[in-house]
Amino acid sequence: MPDTREFTLELTSGRTLHGFVDRPDGSGPRPTVVICHGFKGFMEWGFFPYLADLLAARGFTAVRFNFSGSGMRPGEDLVSDLGAFRSATFSRDLEELAAVLAAIGERIAPGDADPERLALLGHSRGGGTALLAAAREPWRDRLRALVTWSAVGTFDRMGADDKTAWRRDGELVITNARTGQELPIGLEVLEDLEARRAELDLEAAAARRTTPWLLVHGEEDETVPVAEARRLAAAAAPPRELLTVPAGTHTFGAQHPFLGPTPQLIQTLNATQTFLRRHLG
């Protein structure tokens, strides 16, 4: 049976990333999938443990971790570090994902992960971050596959009035609908987006990447409209495949705590497994 092991990764910035490696049966390096959660998400949310266990059962080493900006540690269900959440810039997410990728097979999952057969899978904002990584060296030439679920087509999601209030107050406060927590987003997040707009342009990244890419998006996504997936697919260099899931929501009907896979999630999981087997072996 697959088993799960916890890891920590100390970054040169002084931040620490926490994650899990879900290992398949047997021994030796296996094709490896790095999983990226989205905004207000975390590695233990809803379908992520189920996804990681399923991938391990299919012979993949699955690596999932919390971005430092999640403000959460393993086992937590609420954001405990509001300061970390507040300062979670898009550039920081990308920097942390790059550090995780560089550590695969050495500091993360030594003996279990094959860095030569490596894929990225990201949900929502994490899908955008995964796309950016896939469009940059050295990962542009090293990744074997990219899968995005409900990926954002742009990080610039706030209207003019919200940005005016953001600048005036120095932060934007949002409410997590699931938990009721009020969560601050610091002005540095907006400043990062504006200062690095070209670097964080997801349609441009789609055009640069050459890694085989599967985009999966629910036709009834209430958070990221399916039109964003279609724009990314239209901008993307080949090879790329777009799967739209009928009746699929932003989380394909899944919720937290996880109550089991829905038909929409099953369709997404099946397409993902098939794609990863084809490109990772």
Side-chain angles (χ1 to χ4, degrees):
M1 292 290 293
D3 71 339
T4 301
R5 298 185 179 183
E6 188 173 344
F7 71 86
T8 59
L9 182 65
E10 303 294 335
L11 305 181
T12 56
S13 63
R15 298 188 298 275
T16 300
L17 300 182
H18 298 267
F20 291 118
V21 175
D22 292 85
R23 304 165 64 249
D25 285 335
S27 60
R30 303 299 183 89
T32 302
V33 184
V34 176
I35 301 169
C36 307
H37 68 76
F39 182 59
K40 295 184 292 185
F42 52 104
M43 64 181 173
E44 294 169 277
W45 184 91
F47 52 53
F48 288 118
Y50 184 88
L51 166 64
D53 187 67
L54 179 67
L55 290 174
R58 299 295 183 268
F60 299 98
T61 294
V63 177
R64 51 195 163 108
F65 69 100
N66 282 344
F67 287 104
S68 67
S70 70
M72 300 176 69
R73 295 173 65 90
E76 294 182 335
D77 200 53
L78 297 173
V79 176
S80 59
D81 188 342
L82 293 174
F85 187 95
R86 187 184 188 281
S87 59
T89 66
F90 306 105
S91 295
R92 180 176 293 181
D93 284 357
L94 182 58
E95 172 193 327
E96 292 178 353
L97 175 54
V100 169
L101 290 171
I104 295 294
E106 296 181 1
R107 288 181 289 167
I108 297 174
D112 295 313
D114 183 353
E116 300 303 317
R117 290 184 292 168
L118 188 60
L120 275 176
L121 191 158
H123 177 250
S124 194
R125 172 169 163 169
T129 305
L131 171 58
L132 288 181
R136 291 189 169 200
E137 299 297 346
W139 309 110
R140 183 175 181 272
D141 297 322
R142 291 179 58 183
L143 290 174
R144 292 278 197 92
L146 170 67
V147 180
T148 56
W149 291 4
S150 311
V152 294
T154 176
F155 291 130
D156 191 355
R157 312 197 69 79
M158 297 296 179
D161 290 345
D162 284 330
K163 289 178 181 177
T164 297
W166 201 345
R167 291 189 176 92
R168 182 193 65 225
D169 300 337
E171 66 180 22
L172 191 67
V173 178
I174 62 167
T175 301
N176 186 323
R178 179 180 67 86
T179 66
Q181 267 192 300
E182 291 193 342
L183 302 171
I185 308 173
L187 186 58
E188 60 263 49
V189 177
L190 178 59
E191 292 172 341
D192 175 65
L193 177 62
E194 293 180 337
R196 297 175 173 82
R197 190 171 296 278
E199 299 170 49
L200 299 172
D201 185 325
L202 294 176
E203 290 187 27
R208 286 196 308 273
R209 53 128 287 284
T210 56
T211 301
W213 182 15
L214 174 65
L215 303 87
V216 187
H217 214 103
E219 292 183 354
E220 296 181 13
D221 192 321
E222 71 287 5
T223 303
V224 179
V226 68
E228 294 190 36
R230 294 191 173 108
R231 286 197 295 271
L232 284 176
R240 62 100 177 94
E241 303 173 27
L242 172 62
L243 170 65
T244 59
V245 179
T249 64
H250 191 57
T251 59
F252 305 101
Q255 54 186 298
H256 184 83
F258 190 62
L259 301 177
T262 63
Q264 294 81 17
L265 182 59
I266 290 170
Q267 182 180 356
T268 298
L269 291 166
N270 287 342
T272 297
Q273 294 177 69
T274 298
F275 186 81
L276 290 172
R277 280 198 297 267
R278 186 192 319 155
H279 293 289
L280 292 187

